Amino acid sequence: MTQLYDATRDLRDLATLAIQPAARQKMLTRALDSLNRLVPHDLAAVLELDEGTLRVLASHGSLANAAILDHRLELARFPSIQKALETRRPVILEEHDHAGDEGDPYDGVVDLPHGHSCMVVPLYSGDRTLGLMTFDRTVCGTYDETTIALADVYGQIISLAFLYAEQAELLDRYRQRLDERNRVLAQSQGGPCAAVEKLARSRSGLMINLGHQAQQVAQTTAPVLIQGETGTGKEVLAQAIHCWSDRRDQTLLTLNCAAIPETLIESELFGHVKGAFSGADKARPGRFLAANGGTLLLDEIGDMPLQAQAKLLRVLQEGTFQPVGSDHTVKVDVRILASTHRDLDQAVAEGKFREDLYYRLNVFPLYVPALRDRSEDTVPLAENILADMAARTGRGPWTLAAGARRELEQQEWPGNIRQLVNALERATILKPRGTLELHHVAVPSSRRAPVLPAAGPATAEGTPILPLQDMERQYIGRALEATGGKIYGQGGAAELLGLKPTTLQSRMKKLGVKRP
């Protein structure tokens, strides 16, 4: 009875050790120690299998020494050990098994007498072979059937503990990598708490009130649904909520639901096991597991597929999920923030968004106003954006002329802050440093002729009337000079002139205009 109690206690202690990420070595050593009461030995060892090589991870007993921990075995040299791994049953090695080329696994490391007791116990989980345990005694004879059965059962328990400890170490490495990536990202962007400073600079009463509401909900664990037009700064508000919360020292992760293919969205959210689908050659944690203890922002949640919405609802209700391809339930503690530019009420009515999920997310809705509704923030935002550009690129600095300020305030900005950033980036290309004038920041569009830098002062009386082709040639030439010869992409001459790049190239060829 005492032996049974000791075995039960040892198993409970092993389970506790197995869930500690850095405790695999301690767990294995403790396992071998406790096994001495069930499987007598002078040398016990746990070996890990890695690409045909067995490596000793832990050893125990009077014959254990430092040389054992450096020991390696090539599996191909030991058919008797291969048999144990293939059959997944303990194998008793007798004198004739050590004869010939195979020899004893510990030859040259420890001195064991001929005819000594020797047993190999395989360690495995599912279709994966983890390694094995070996037991050796200096006395002659073999282990009895009861001891072999006990060793087999204990080996299966240790296999699970081994696997859980390995997975815990893997998850810990993932977290370290994520923490390091977030640290670097925080240094490059000022971190989530830089968002608090951005909100604090706002002069708009709408934004000041929004900031107060965000601070209040940040102190809770309630889901927050952030709505607003594209480019209004919904992610900045989410970062500020995280920074104001008790989770500020934990991870803030973002998943753009619109940028992930429908077939992969569940894997990105909940992770998957090896072999869960074609191409899943190894297991990986999803965003929920990576954000455990922290905050997860689901950006553009209105574009999330319905099947993934059902799984997300379960996480919100129960705090649990199952990785793709697994029947194992994982429990997490993640604060959910969601953002979208879509009308979710309409999406629910159209059957494109689950009504139950909508009400779960819409506990505390926040709406980020469009830039045109807070025009008093436009110039301060522009000045901060220019300062950030100067710090990031080493170019500049820039200031805004009075005309440029008026132009920025009067624009409608349908693309909101994102469009403002693009307009200022284009302006800094036209003017590498100094004061930005009205024509630098004017926004070209199909409804408005682009404003280019003037070639020089002119009066109505002194301006000659040129042929249309000559005027067009000069106009294109000035656009190319202003953009440094760039035609394609953001800030290129085609964008400046409101033309397609191919159309501009065709006109250049016809008019004989060359790049500067």
Side-chain angles (χ1 to χ4, degrees):
M1 182 63 71
T2 301
Q3 187 181 35
L4 178 61
Y5 171 77
D6 288 342
T8 303
R9 182 190 60 194
D10 291 335
L11 288 175
R12 184 178 64 248
D13 292 346
L14 283 176
T16 301
L17 285 169
I19 62 174
Q20 299 176 14
R24 184 171 70 162
Q25 193 71 29
K26 184 179 179 181
M27 180 273 294
L28 294 175
T29 303
R30 178 65 183 274
L32 295 178
D33 180 39
S34 63
L35 269 171
N36 192 44
R37 291 186 285 271
L38 300 175
V39 185
H41 59 263
D42 295 300
L43 174 62
V46 176
L47 296 89
E48 179 182 36
L49 180 62
D50 183 18
E51 297 184 356
T53 300
L54 289 161
R55 177 174 65 94
V56 176
L57 295 180
S59 63
H60 181 269
S62 59
L63 296 179
N65 56 44
I68 291 288
L69 294 178
D70 293 330
H71 195 45
R72 303 286 188 277
L73 297 175
E74 295 301 323
L75 184 59
R77 289 187 50 239
F78 296 92
S80 55
I81 293 179
Q82 289 186 56
K83 177 183 176 182
L85 296 179
E86 290 170 358
T87 62
R88 295 192 166 183
R89 299 293 301 274
V91 170
I92 300 298
L93 301 183
E94 301 182 14
E95 183 64 26
H96 63 82
D97 293 312
H98 299 317
D101 295 334
E102 182 168 353
D104 188 273
Y106 297 109
D107 280 344
V109 182
V110 293
D111 187 18
L112 290 165
H114 294 291
H116 67 278
S117 302
C118 183
M119 177 168 54
V120 174
V121 179
L123 301 177
Y124 58 90
S125 177
D127 61 352
R128 182 183 170 194
T129 300
L130 302 174
L132 53 87
M133 292 189 297
T134 62
F135 298 93
D136 292 276
R137 296 187 71 188
T138 55
V139 299
C140 295
T142 60
Y143 286 105
D144 59 56
E145 292 297 326
T146 301
T147 302
I148 294 172
L150 282 172
D152 188 22
V153 172
Y154 221 86
Q156 293 180 49
I157 301 298
I158 291 176
S159 294
L160 293 175
F162 183 104
L163 189 63
Y164 287 146
E166 182 186 68
Q167 289 178 339
E169 289 178 342
L170 179 63
L171 290 175
D172 190 53
R173 289 198 295 271
Y174 271 122
R175 180 171 292 280
Q176 290 175 5
R177 286 168 56 189
L178 284 169
D179 288 345
E180 176 63 14
R181 187 174 66 181
N182 288 334
R183 183 189 66 81
V184 173
L185 189 62
Q187 288 181 344
S188 64
Q189 296 185 350
C193 289
V196 174
E197 297 178 11
K198 292 179 181 178
L199 289 177
R201 298 189 192 114
S202 179
R203 300 175 183 176
S204 165
L206 290 174
M207 291 300 295
I208 293 172
N209 183 54
L210 179 64
H212 289 329
Q213 293 181 29
Q215 285 183 357
Q216 289 177 308
V217 74
Q219 305 307 314
T220 73
T221 59
V224 179
L225 179 61
I226 304 172
Q227 300 178 83
E229 296 178 8
T230 297
T232 52
K234 296 185 291 293
E235 187 171 355
V236 172
L237 182 62
Q239 292 173 346
I241 292 173
H242 174 75
C243 188
W244 281 319
S245 75
D246 295 336
R247 300 169 184 252
R248 67 180 67 87
D249 295 328
Q250 301 299 320
T251 303
L252 167 63
L253 292 182
T254 299
L255 178 67
N256 188 332
C257 301
I260 307 297
E262 184 173 347
T263 55
L264 296 179
I265 186 73
E266 288 189 42
S267 173
E268 286 292 330
L269 283 170
F270 311 112
H272 63 256
V273 298
K274 181 180 178 181
F277 49 84
S278 178
D281 54 349
K282 60 182 178 181
R284 59 165 290 183
R287 301 298 174 95
F288 268 99
L289 201 55
N292 193 22
T295 305
L296 177 61
L297 169 62
L298 299 175
D299 192 19
E300 298 301 347
I301 195 168
D303 295 301
M304 180 180 286
L306 285 169
Q307 185 175 352
Q309 291 179 30
K311 276 197 169 186
L312 175 60
L313 180 63
R314 180 184 177 186
V315 181
L316 290 172
Q317 291 174 333
E318 304 172 14
T320 62
F321 66 90
Q322 291 179 334
V324 177
S326 172
D327 56 4
H328 176 64
T329 299
V330 179
K331 188 172 183 62
V332 290
D333 172 25
V334 178
R335 170 75 178 278
I336 296 296
L337 306 177
S339 65
T340 181
H341 73 282
R342 297 190 180 279
D343 184 343
L344 290 189
D345 283 308
Q346 181 179 350
V348 169
E350 295 173 352
K352 297 178 180 178
F353 200 85
R354 291 180 64 105
E355 185 177 23
D356 46 5
L357 177 58
Y358 173 61
Y359 288 123
R360 274 281 174 180
L361 292 171
N362 202 32
V363 175
F364 198 93
L366 295 174
Y367 186 84
V368 183
L371 186 55
R372 62 182 172 274
D373 296 328
R374 52 184 181 113
S375 58
E376 60 267 50
D377 282 343
T378 306
V379 171
L381 276 170
E383 291 174 336
N384 291 327
I385 291 167
L386 290 172
D388 290 343
M389 285 182 181
R392 188 178 71 250
T393 64
R395 298 164 58 232
W398 299 275
T399 57
L400 292 168
R405 289 169 175 264
R406 287 193 299 273
E407 175 70 11
L408 294 177
E409 288 179 338
Q410 292 170 4
Q411 280 285 344
E412 286 293 317
W413 301 113
N416 293 292
I417 300 173
R418 190 171 299 148
Q419 184 187 10
L420 175 63
V421 172
N422 292 342
L424 292 172
E425 187 168 355
R426 180 170 56 250
T428 60
I429 294 172
L430 297 174
K431 183 84 170 180
R433 65 184 57 83
T435 302
L436 300 179
E437 303 289 346
L438 182 150
H439 58 260
H440 293 123
V441 300
V443 180
S445 70
S446 58
R447 297 180 301 275
R448 179 174 180 171
V451 181
L452 293 174
T459 64
E461 294 81 7
T463 302
I465 302 299
L466 298 177
L468 182 59
Q469 286 192 347
D470 290 347
M471 288 290 293
E472 189 176 357
R473 186 180 296 108
Q474 289 184 17
Y475 203 59
I476 292 175
R478 284 161 54 195
L480 289 168
E481 289 176 3
T483 60
K486 181 179 178 182
I487 295 176
Y488 286 83
Q490 184 176 320
E495 183 186 50
L496 195 61
L497 293 168
L499 298 174
K500 291 182 179 179
T502 52
T503 302
L504 175 57
Q505 285 186 312
S506 176
R507 297 300 297 166
M508 288 169 60
K509 183 177 181 180
K510 181 178 179 181
L511 297 170
V513 179
K514 305 293 185 182
R515 289 192 188 187

